[in-house]
Amino acid sequence: MSENARARWQRRYESARVRDADFTTLSGVELAPAYGTDDSEWPGEFPFTRGLYPTGYRGRTWTIRQFAGFGNAQQTNERYRMILGRGGGGLSVAFDMPTLMGRDSDDPKALGEVGHCGVAIDSVADMEVLFDGIDLGDVTTSMTISGPAVPVFCMMLVAAERAGVDTSTLNGTLQTDIFKEYIAQKEWLFAPEPHLKLIGDLMEYCAANIPAYKPLSVSGYHIREAGSTAAQELAFTLADGFGYVELGLSRGLDVDVFAPGLSFFFDAHVDFFEEIAKFRAARRIWARWMRDVYGATSEKAQWLRFHTQTAGVSLTAQQPYNNVVRTGIEALSAVLGGTNSLHTNALDETLALPSEQAAEIALRTQQVIMEETGVVNVADPLGGSWYVEALTDRIEAEATAIFDKILAMGGSTLTSDQPARIAEAVRGGEWLVTRGLLRGIEEGWFMSEIAEAAFQYQVALEKRDKRIVGVNCHEESVTHELEILRVSHEVELEQVRTLAARRTARDDAAVRAALTRMVDAARADENLIEPMLDACRAEATLGEICDALRAEWGEYREPARF
């Protein structure tokens, strides 16, 4: 008789590593690691609806990865030390707007923006200060940046070299997701094709040289923050991921080698059960497409690993202490949905960058969930709930309908229920999803879909069909004004002075030569990572590297639409 699903899961669980911890209720009741019937789906089993691992969080809890960055590298380094010293498990770097746009701090377009929404990074020297006293070989680091992600990655790599770290052992995540920039966040440098070339170069380099590092974090967070529905966030994000898989295949990379280097980044909004269902559906959809369409044979290549951030857009300036409750509920939905790492927003983030006290409360929110609530004891505790399972199926169906629209925009007559035929087209070099993505970006389809969803939600708020406490109901309050973090203008002045001093001290001829070699490599369609690393080693600035490529590739300007 064949082994049933429960027995198969039990065998895998018993051979897996489990933390030495108390897995009983507060009253001392012994708990099973997972619950279900003999033939129901179990955690760690394809298509991974119930989680990637048979042990759930008994094997390993999620990584507490607090997103932080403000002012200059020294100030942010101090915040990182605080986060790590108080129990944070990894770092997540927030960059200021000039850095996100590939501009130096002394660029006229950077005036007034230096250090205000994240940390200012102009060169490798700033990266060295940013991670001073932090072992990059020991701490996983996520960097939330897409347009100039590749040169920023190169700067981090050189900083690690100078600190004596074996860069082949680095682990972490670089966002690099340019599709979502055109769809939602609007922080790009070039047209899509040059950006995709850089991403392909990075995928090749990491697969060959830094196997544990994840060069792409496909981001739904910014799509949801722009106003999409949960199903749109899920579908647009996974479609972007399929596009990057097609990019890897177009480079001749082995899907079982490069796919484990793809990770995802989702929003945890305030609708508790819808978010849990979204996370469960995401794993299931991704696993099926990876196996049935893109030919992934290993479990790791079929896994959808994701980071979650609680919803910044759900925070309110009115009665800001309510944001602690919202964040706690959103964080719990991410945990019950099986997130692999998590950032919890601070109560004051709708007003300013988090104060140290607010950042600590956000960190403690995760720690209370992890240490006190018992949610780590059982894998997918809501699995089998009629409501959650039905909602998971519903969101999957809505996402599938959106995939079919994207395929149609790319000129395909195939639909999601024909995976074998889509796989055959892919094997023939037809990048069906990528074509649909590029067409949708060109025509503004994604943006219009998000705008319509945001409009419908705003109408519901105005009519009070949807309610936000402190905004359109329960508006009376004794809440006093918060003391918020303010970045001094002196930060910008000092950053500009420091940048000028570094330019004076470096070998300008070496910088010019390195930039010339990088541009020559771009013209020859060679992999740009090594030439870009050499430019960073010569102390070329971020703006100089990006400007050299802007001169070669041009800047992208979004077509006007009315």
Side-chain angles (χ1 to χ4, degrees):
M1 186 173 68
S2 62
E3 186 179 38
N4 66 36
R6 184 200 295 267
R8 186 168 59 249
W9 164 81
Q10 186 70 44
R11 174 172 49 80
R12 296 188 69 184
Y13 177 84
E14 290 172 353
S15 65
R17 184 176 180 179
V18 176
R19 292 182 295 115
D20 182 16
D22 173 25
F23 299 120
T24 65
T25 69
L26 201 61
S27 304
V29 176
E30 291 284 346
L31 297 171
Y35 291 83
T37 67
D38 283 351
D39 297 314
S40 61
E41 186 182 328
W42 286 76
E45 296 283 303
F46 184 91
F48 311 109
T49 312
R50 301 195 63 191
L52 303 181
Y53 312 108
T55 54
Y57 291 131
R58 287 194 179 196
R60 180 182 176 183
T61 55
W62 67 92
T63 300
I64 296 175
R65 190 185 301 282
Q66 288 300 103
F67 186 47
F70 66 94
N72 59 33
Q74 179 60 46
Q75 291 171 303
T76 301
N77 175 266
E78 291 169 6
R79 177 63 60 86
Y80 289 165
R81 288 169 178 265
M82 182 275 282
I83 290 170
L84 293 173
R86 297 180 192 177
L91 299 176
S92 184
V93 184
F95 297 97
D96 70 356
M97 187 56 68
T99 305
L100 291 170
M101 300 305 296
R103 304 280 178 185
D104 287 334
S105 295
D106 60 356
D107 189 305
K109 292 183 178 179
L111 185 64
E113 296 291 341
V114 175
H116 279 273
C117 70
V119 62
I121 297 294
D122 291 314
S123 69
V124 174
D126 285 320
M127 278 290 187
E128 291 182 275
V129 175
L130 185 67
F131 295 116
D132 182 44
I134 298 169
D135 186 353
L136 286 171
D138 186 56
V139 174
T140 62
T141 302
S142 169
M143 296 195 291
T144 302
I145 190 165
S146 293
V150 177
V152 166
F153 165 81
C154 289
M155 289 178 180
M156 185 198 73
L157 220 57
V158 175
E161 287 175 358
R162 292 177 180 176
V165 175
D166 178 358
T167 57
S168 68
T169 66
L170 290 179
N171 196 348
T173 305
L174 188 68
Q175 189 165 99
T176 334
D177 178 6
I178 206 62
F179 281 135
K180 67 91 177 172
E181 297 296 344
Y182 299 109
I183 289 171
Q185 198 174 22
K186 313 300 183 183
E187 292 168 0
W188 58 70
L189 277 64
F190 321 113
E193 288 77 7
H195 273 300
L196 290 175
K197 181 222 169 355
L198 283 172
I199 294 169
D201 289 351
L202 183 66
M203 291 170 70
E204 286 182 351
Y205 184 87
C206 289
N209 299 287
I210 318 177
Y213 195 83
K214 297 155 193 68
L216 261 166
S217 176
V218 190
S219 176
Y221 185 85
H222 307 90
I223 292 169
R224 190 65 177 281
E225 293 286 291
S228 78
T229 66
Q232 286 172 333
E233 177 196 359
L234 177 60
F236 294 174
T237 306
L238 294 190
D240 289 349
F242 299 150
Y244 295 124
V245 172
E246 293 177 355
L247 175 62
L249 294 172
S250 74
R251 292 294 189 102
L253 298 175
D254 183 339
V255 68
D256 286 316
V257 173
F258 77 79
L262 302 177
S263 65
F264 288 79
F265 174 24
F266 288 114
D267 196 299
H269 219 300
V270 77
D271 192 317
F272 187 71
F273 289 105
E274 183 173 61
E275 295 305 290
I276 294 167
K278 179 187 73 181
F279 298 133
R280 299 173 88 249
R283 280 191 296 270
R284 185 159 78 195
I285 295 168
W286 183 257
R288 288 174 175 162
W289 272 72
M290 291 304 294
R291 184 190 69 177
D292 300 339
V293 173
Y294 297 116
T297 59
S298 72
E299 281 193 346
K300 284 188 176 182
Q302 297 165 2
W303 283 350
L304 183 142
R305 289 176 290 191
F306 66 95
H307 170 73
T308 311
Q309 181 173 339
T310 57
V313 75
S314 73
L315 305 180
T316 64
Q318 302 92 327
Q319 302 179 23
Y321 290 104
N322 297 346
N323 294 332
V324 177
V325 181
R326 294 185 180 102
T327 296
I329 290 167
E330 292 162 359
L332 185 58
S333 75
V335 169
L336 291 175
T339 192
N340 302 105
S341 66
L342 179 61
H343 164 85
T344 33
N345 288 328
L347 67 95
D348 54 0
E349 284 193 64
T350 192
L351 299 167
L353 293 164
S355 66
E356 187 170 6
Q357 181 182 31
E360 181 179 274
I361 293 170
L363 174 65
R364 295 294 187 236
T365 300
Q366 291 202 50
Q367 291 167 332
V368 168
I369 292 172
M370 183 181 290
E371 305 291 353
E372 298 183 30
T373 64
V375 294
V376 298
N377 293 339
V378 176
D380 190 34
L382 295 180
S385 156
W386 290 338
Y387 176 42
V388 170
E389 296 295 351
L391 202 51
T392 302
D393 292 343
R394 171 65 181 268
I395 289 179
E396 180 181 18
E398 289 182 32
T400 297
I402 294 172
F403 295 149
D404 291 344
K405 290 180 182 178
I406 293 171
L407 288 168
M409 281 192 294
S412 176
T413 59
L414 300 177
T415 53
S416 301
D417 60 357
Q418 300 172 294
R421 293 188 62 190
I422 299 173
E424 183 181 1
V426 168
R427 286 193 296 271
E430 292 188 61
W431 315 119
L432 303 183
V433 176
T434 302
R435 288 206 311 249
L437 289 169
L438 293 175
R439 181 72 176 273
I441 290 166
E442 178 185 342
E443 296 185 351
W445 180 79
F446 293 102
M447 187 169 62
S448 65
E449 291 290 294
I450 294 170
E452 178 61 24
F455 174 73
Q456 293 298 333
Y457 179 63
Q458 187 62 35
V459 168
L461 287 178
E462 299 290 343
K463 293 168 64 178
R464 299 197 178 194
D465 293 337
K466 298 292 184 186
R467 297 194 169 200
I468 299 175
V469 173
V471 176
N472 66 356
C473 65
H474 309 294
E475 296 171 54
E476 303 81 8
S477 177
V478 297
T479 302
H480 56 78
E481 287 190 9
L482 296 175
E483 290 187 18
I484 61 174
L485 175 68
R486 300 185 187 278
V487 177
S488 168
H489 180 57
E490 181 59 35
V491 168
E492 180 169 331
L493 298 177
E494 179 59 30
Q495 185 73 14
V496 170
R497 284 194 293 265
T498 300
L499 178 57
R502 287 172 181 163
R503 283 204 180 103
T504 300
R506 71 186 184 179
D507 183 341
D508 275 341
V511 172
R512 288 194 299 273
L515 291 173
T516 298
R517 287 193 297 272
M518 183 187 72
V519 171
D520 288 344
R523 288 175 181 165
D525 200 26
E526 297 172 358
N527 191 298
L528 286 177
I529 304 302
E530 285 292 353
M532 198 173 286
L533 283 168
D534 287 340
C536 292
R537 292 180 184 116
E539 291 297 329
T541 67
L542 178 64
E544 289 166 343
I545 292 170
C546 294
D547 284 346
L549 294 175
R550 284 186 183 101
E552 182 65 22
W553 290 333
E555 293 186 69
Y556 178 74
R557 300 203 180 276
E558 188 175 35
R561 297 182 182 90
F562 301 94

